[in-house]
Amino acid sequence: MCRNLTAAAFLAILVIEIAILIPSYRNYEEDLLRHQVDVARQAVTTFVQSAEGQEITKSDLESLVASSPLTGISLWRDGISYEAGEVVDVPHPAAGLLRLAPRTAEGMIDLSWSDDPTLGAYQAVARVDVGHVDSELVAFVFRILGLSLLIAVFVTVVTMFVVDRMMLSPLLKLRDRIARAGDDAENPLRYLTPAGRCDEFGEVESAFNSTLKQNASYLSRLQTLNKELDRLLDDRTRTLRETEQELETRTLYDQLTGLANRNLFEEQLDRYFWEVSREEGRKEALLVLGLNDFQALNGLAGHEIGDHVLQEIARRVARFSPDHGHVARLGGDVFGLLVKPQGRIASESMDAWISVIIEACEEPVQVGQAQYECEVCAGVAVPVLDANDARTLLSDAEIAMHRAKKSPNRKVEFFTPEFGDQIHHRHELIRRLKSAIENRHLQLHYQGQFDRLRRCAGYEALLRWHDPVLGPVSPAEFIPLAEETGLIVGIGDWVLEESVATLRQWVDQGFTGRMAINVSALQLHDEGFADRIAHQLAYFGVSADQLELEITETALMADVERAMATLNRFRELGLALAVDDFGTGYSSLAYLKALPVSRIKIDRTFVTGLPENAQDAALCRTIISMAHSMGCDVIAEGVETEDQASWLALAGSDEMQGFLLDRPEPGGFLAGQNDGG
C-alpha cells in the first residue's frame, strides 16, 4: 500500500506537471510560430512598401524568398498576380491559431494576409519555413521534463517517509486483525479491541469493531439470500429451456393435432426409405388423406368444432402407424401416412387396407351432443414406382388426392404418370411464368406496416401476377414453383430493382419509412446477391437503412453458415433484416440469437385465433417477449380485426400489418398521398 501511495503521489505530480506542460507547450509552440510568421510578415511588408509605385519583378520576389523564412509567395493587386518560390496550396489565416495550421512534410505552413493594412492594396499568401520549431519544442520539453522529474522524486521521498510512519505500521496491524477475523468467521467477537487512537485510524478500528458485531447476522442473511437467488436462477433457466423446447417443438409438430409436420414427415420418410432401400418385396405406400368440404364445416359449425374434428381424425389416422414419425398433418385438412400393411390385412390388396383407413376416418365424430361426418379422399404414391425421395412422393400423392376430390365416384386415386392434369398445369404455369418474367408482366403491390398508434412505418412489397390467359395467379401457387425451378433468382432481382426505384420516387415525395422485400433461400445463398443490392442502392441513391429484407426461418436454416455469411454482408451494407413467418419453420434459438436480425414477424396463422385462442395468445406473448429480450422489434401480420389489433398492441407488438389497416395496392405511399390530398 505504501508503495502504491508513493507511486500514486509520484504519478500525480507528474500528471500535474504534464497538465501544466501541455498548455505551456502549446503557448511556446504558438510563440515560436508567431515569431517566425511575424518575421515573414515583416519581410513581406517591407518588400511591399519598398516596391510602392514600382514594377514588381519575379527576381525581386525570389530575392525576398531567399532573404526571409519564406519559401514561396503570391501577391495580388488589381487582378495582377506575382508569384515566386514554392506553390501555396491551402493557406491558413495568419491571424488565426498557427499551431492548428496544416504543415507540409518539409515543415512548411501556408498563410494568407488578406486583411493586413500594412500591405496596402496587396493581398498575399505565402509558404513559411517553420521546420526549426519542432527541434526547439523538443528541447523545451526535455528541459521541463527534467525539472519536473526532480521535483517529483523529492516529493515522493518525503511522502514515503511520512506514509511509513503515520500509515503503514497501523495498517499492517489492522490488516493482521482483519485477516484473523476473516479466518475465524464463526467467532467474530473474539477480535474486538478498544480503539487506541483518536484520529481517523481510531474511527476505522471502531467501525471494524461494529462490523464484527454485525458480521454474524449479515453472514446468515447473505446465505439465505444466496439460496433464494440460486432458486430464482434455476426457475428462470428452467422456464427459458421450456420455452425454447416449446418453440422447437412447434417447428417439428403440428400444434393442434400433435402429429409431425411436413418437414419432420419428409425427414422420417427419407430416413426410412434409405434404411429399407435394399429390402425386397416391400409393400408400403404413401397415403395422403384430405377431408372434403371441411371449409364448409368450419363455416357452419365454427372453428372450435372444426378443430375437434381434425384432432379426432388425427387420432384415427395415427392408429394405423406404429411410428408417429410416419404420420403427419401436412396442413389444413390434409394428413399423410406411410401405409405398411400388417397381420390379417398384409395378405390382402393395398386397396383393402386403404379402404379400412378411410372407413375409420369417415365414422361420425362426436362433439358434445352433436355428430359430424366428413368424406375422405385419398391419393396414393408407391415408392420406387413413383419416386424414391419423400418430397417427390408427397407431391405425387397430393396430386392423386386432389384428383380423387374432383372425381364424383372415386375416393382413392393411385398416382400414375398418365393422369397428369396437375402436372400439365404445372408445366404450363412454369412456361407462362418464364414468359411473364421475360416480358415483365409481374407487378408489385405495397401493403402498409403500422405502429401501435396506427402510424405508417413502412411498406412491404408483395409480388402479384395477372396472366393474360390464366388470369390472377396466387403467389402461394407460383412463388413455390419459382423457388423449385430457380426462377425466383430472376424474379428476386426484378423485385429488388423495382422496389428500390419505387422507394426513390417515394423519398422524393417525402417518404421517410422503410421498404420491405422478401428474400428466398436461393437468393440468400447467392454470393453475388449482396453486391447487386449495393449496386441498386447506389444507382438510385437510396439509403440502405430504408430497405428491409424479410427472410423466412426455413431459408435461414437451410444452410446456416452460408446464411450467416450473407446476413453479415447485409449488415455491413446497413440493411435492416427481419425474420418472416416466425414460428412456422424449423429454427434453432441458438442460431437465431446469433443472426443479425432487427425484426421478427409473427406469422398470420398465430394471429388469426387472437384473442380467443389461448394457445395462439400464449405463443404470441412468448415470441414478443423473446424477440424483445434479443433486442428485436416485433411486427404481427394478418391483422384483420380490431380485437386482434388491440390485443397485439397491449401484448407489446411494436408494429402490425393486415387488411384491417391497409390492403395491398400498386400505389402504396403515393396512393396514400393522393388520398390525403
Side-chain angles (χ1 to χ4, degrees):
M1 180 178 176
C2 181
R3 289 193 298 270
N4 292 338
L5 287 174
T6 52
F10 179 78
L11 292 175
I13 295 170
L14 286 181
V15 169
I16 294 172
E17 292 175 344
I18 291 173
I20 297 173
L21 172 62
I22 291 174
S24 301
Y25 174 87
R26 293 177 177 174
N27 294 336
Y28 188 61
E29 180 184 17
E30 184 70 21
D31 291 342
L32 291 175
L33 292 172
R34 180 61 63 187
H35 172 73
Q36 191 73 352
V37 171
D38 288 343
V39 172
R41 183 183 63 79
Q42 185 61 41
V44 174
T45 302
T46 302
F47 176 81
V48 170
Q49 292 174 354
S50 64
E52 186 69 31
Q54 301 179 8
E55 182 66 25
I56 297 176
T57 65
K58 186 172 184 179
S59 60
D60 294 336
L61 288 176
E62 291 177 346
S63 298
L64 172 63
V65 170
S67 61
S68 67
L70 302 172
T71 62
I73 185 168
S74 295
L75 295 174
W76 292 275
R77 179 178 181 179
D78 300 330
I80 302 175
S81 173
Y82 308 94
E83 299 180 351
E86 298 179 3
V87 177
V88 180
D89 293 330
V90 182
H92 184 81
L97 283 176
L98 298 178
R99 60 185 177 82
L100 300 181
R103 303 187 192 182
T104 66
E106 294 79 12
M108 312 292 180
I109 59 176
D110 296 339
L111 301 173
S112 66
W113 291 277
S114 57
D115 300 324
D116 194 330
T118 61
L119 297 179
Y122 286 93
Q123 293 185 350
V125 295
R127 176 166 286 185
V128 181
D129 183 4
V130 294
H132 69 284
V133 171
D134 290 340
S135 59
E136 294 187 20
L137 286 173
V138 171
F140 171 75
V141 169
F142 275 107
R143 290 196 303 271
I144 297 300
L145 287 179
L147 180 61
S148 300
L149 186 61
L150 288 176
I151 296 174
V153 170
F154 174 76
V155 173
T156 301
V157 171
V158 174
T159 302
M160 289 179 63
F161 176 78
V162 173
V163 168
D164 179 67
R165 297 298 300 268
M166 300 298 295
M167 297 177 61
L168 183 58
S169 296
L171 279 176
L172 291 176
K173 293 179 181 179
L174 181 60
R175 183 189 68 178
D176 179 65
R177 188 156 67 96
I178 292 174
R180 288 185 287 112
D183 293 338
D184 189 12
E186 296 182 357
N187 302 284
L189 299 180
R190 180 181 298 174
Y191 302 96
L192 291 174
T193 58
R197 295 169 57 170
C198 298
D199 54 9
E200 288 80 359
F201 273 102
E203 295 176 359
V204 171
E205 289 182 340
S206 299
F208 180 62
N209 289 337
S210 300
T211 301
L212 290 175
K213 295 176 182 178
Q214 299 175 357
N215 189 50
S217 60
Y218 285 166
L219 286 176
S220 177
R221 292 180 58 189
L222 181 61
Q223 290 174 353
T224 302
L225 291 175
N226 283 337
K227 291 179 180 179
E228 182 66 19
L229 180 60
D230 289 340
R231 186 186 65 79
L232 292 175
L233 288 175
D234 289 341
D235 292 344
R236 180 62 173 169
T237 302
R238 183 170 55 256
T239 301
L240 290 176
R241 189 179 296 112
E242 291 173 353
T243 301
E244 182 173 354
Q245 290 174 350
E246 180 182 353
L247 290 176
E248 184 176 356
T249 299
R250 288 178 179 271
T251 64
L252 296 175
Y253 295 92
D254 176 62
Q255 298 306 300
L256 178 63
T257 63
L259 299 181
N261 62 14
R262 180 182 290 268
N263 291 333
L264 180 59
F265 191 46
E266 288 183 1
E267 292 177 8
Q268 294 285 357
L269 289 178
D270 281 331
R271 185 179 300 113
Y272 173 78
F273 292 149
W274 182 82
E275 291 173 353
V276 301
S277 59
R278 297 184 179 180
E279 297 181 11
E280 297 182 358
R282 291 160 49 201
K283 298 180 180 180
E284 66 273 356
L286 183 60
L287 179 66
V288 172
L289 301 166
L291 307 184
N292 292 344
D293 299 326
F294 180 74
Q295 294 302 325
L297 173 64
N298 254 343
L300 295 174
H303 288 283
E304 185 175 357
I305 298 297
D307 289 346
H308 282 295
V309 171
L310 288 177
Q311 289 170 339
E312 178 59 28
I313 298 297
R315 281 192 289 269
R316 296 176 184 180
V317 175
R319 290 203 303 264
F320 294 93
S321 175
D323 184 350
H324 280 199
H326 295 157
V327 60
R329 183 189 180 197
L330 302 178
D333 57 1
V334 180
F335 298 87
L337 172 66
L338 181 64
V339 179
K340 295 182 287 186
Q342 299 175 0
R344 180 179 64 84
I345 305 298
S347 61
E348 301 181 9
S349 67
M350 184 67 69
D351 287 337
W353 179 243
I354 294 173
S355 297
V356 171
I357 298 174
I358 292 177
E359 290 174 3
C361 294
E362 289 185 335
E363 292 181 1
V365 178
Q366 185 79 30
V367 181
Q369 302 298 321
Q371 289 186 340
Y372 301 92
E373 296 182 1
C374 291
E375 291 185 358
V376 177
C377 287
V380 184
V382 180
V384 181
L385 294 178
D386 296 334
N388 286 316
D389 65 282
R391 178 167 296 182
T392 304
L393 204 63
L394 268 175
S395 177
D396 293 346
E398 286 176 317
I399 290 174
M401 185 267 294
H402 287 298
R403 183 176 176 84
K405 279 192 172 185
K406 294 179 181 179
S407 175
N409 52 10
R410 292 182 62 86
K411 290 188 176 182
V412 181
E413 282 284 1
F414 282 76
F415 177 83
T416 60
E418 289 75 17
F419 75 81
D421 290 344
Q422 292 85 352
I423 296 176
H424 174 75
H425 175 71
R426 184 177 185 272
H427 290 165
E428 178 67 11
L429 203 61
I430 293 174
R431 187 182 67 82
R432 301 202 65 84
L433 181 57
K434 290 180 180 178
S435 175
I437 296 172
E438 294 173 358
N439 299 319
R440 298 209 167 194
H441 288 165
L442 298 174
Q443 291 182 318
L444 285 182
H445 289 196
Y446 304 94
Q447 185 177 30
Q449 298 175 332
F450 298 82
D451 62 16
R452 300 176 192 172
L453 300 179
R454 308 290 177 90
R455 297 174 301 194
C456 184
Y459 288 86
E460 180 183 2
L462 301 172
L463 191 61
R464 296 293 183 264
W465 178 24
H466 190 285
D467 186 79
V469 176
L470 302 176
V473 183
S474 170
E477 183 177 6
F478 73 83
I479 289 180
L481 193 62
E483 291 179 341
E484 293 175 14
T485 58
L487 296 175
I488 194 67
V489 175
I491 294 176
D493 288 343
W494 176 82
V495 169
L496 171 65
E497 179 181 357
E498 189 73 11
S499 299
V500 176
T502 301
L503 182 57
R504 175 71 270 169
Q505 296 176 3
W506 292 1
V507 170
D508 293 340
Q509 297 296 322
F511 180 65
T512 59
R514 63 178 184 271
M515 171 81 78
I517 64 174
N518 292 278
V519 176
S520 70
L522 289 179
Q523 292 175 287
L524 187 62
H525 301 146
D526 182 357
E527 296 179 356
F529 185 55
D531 294 331
R532 295 199 294 276
I533 293 177
H535 171 74
Q536 293 294 339
L537 292 174
Y539 180 79
F540 288 102
V542 173
S543 175
D545 59 7
Q546 286 191 274
L547 185 64
E548 180 175 82
L549 305 181
E550 294 189 0
I551 305 163
T552 64
E553 291 179 279
T554 304
L556 288 172
M557 295 300 115
D559 188 337
V560 174
E561 293 184 1
R562 292 182 64 182
M564 285 289 290
T566 305
L567 292 181
N568 287 329
R569 176 75 175 112
F570 291 161
R571 179 168 57 181
E572 292 172 1
L573 294 176
L575 300 169
L577 301 175
V579 178
D580 195 10
D581 298 337
F582 185 80
T584 62
Y586 174 77
S587 65
S588 165
L589 292 181
Y591 280 127
L592 187 60
K593 182 176 67 174
L595 294 173
V597 299
S598 57
R599 198 180 319 280
I600 287 178
K601 295 190 73 173
I602 301 177
D603 187 70
R604 66 179 64 250
T605 57
F606 305 126
V607 175
T608 302
L610 295 177
E612 293 84 3
N613 190 299
Q615 288 184 337
D616 287 344
L619 179 60
C620 288
R621 286 195 187 94
T622 302
I623 293 175
I624 292 171
S625 176
M626 181 196 67
H628 287 168
S629 68
M630 294 192 302
C632 297
D633 291 337
V634 177
I635 178 171
E637 57 182 354
V639 179
E640 299 182 357
T641 67
E642 284 291 347
D643 289 342
Q644 293 170 351
S646 300
W647 189 96
L648 288 166
L650 292 175
S653 181
D654 302 284
E655 296 179 6
M656 291 173 283
Q657 177 181 350
F659 285 174
L660 173 68
L661 306 170
D662 186 31
R663 290 182 176 270
E665 56 180 321
F669 173 74
L670 296 182
Q673 292 289 94
N674 294 334
D675 294 343

